[in-house]
Amino acid sequence: MSNRQQSLKIGEFLQVFGNAIAAASAVSYGRQPRARDLRGLGIDAEQFRKIRNF
C-alpha cells in the first residue's frame, strides 16, 4: 500500500470519527445532528428526524 493510499484511508477514518463525535454531541445536548454528519455515517437525515427521543 502506498503512502498516498494509506493517507487517504486515515483521512477517511478521521472524517467518519469526526462525524460520529459531532452527531453524538448534538444528541447529548438534545439537538438534531447536522445532515452532513449523519450522511457521513450512512444515516438518512429524514429518517433520523422521525425519531422522537434524541
Side-chain angles (χ1 to χ4, degrees):
M1 180 181 297
S2 73
N3 284 341
R4 180 164 166 72
Q5 288 174 326
Q6 190 174 14
S7 177
L8 288 174
K9 289 188 183 275
I10 291 171
E12 290 172 13
F13 170 77
L14 292 175
Q15 183 67 42
V16 170
F17 194 69
N19 289 338
I21 290 171
S25 179
V27 169
S28 72
Y29 284 103
R31 296 189 308 255
Q32 171 75 28
R34 292 182 298 198
R36 178 184 64 171
D37 293 326
L38 293 173
R39 274 193 310 271
L41 295 170
I43 300 170
D44 182 23
E46 290 299 319
Q47 293 297 320
F48 191 87
R49 283 188 187 95
K50 293 179 181 179
I51 300 171
R52 291 288 183 211
N53 297 322
F54 59 83

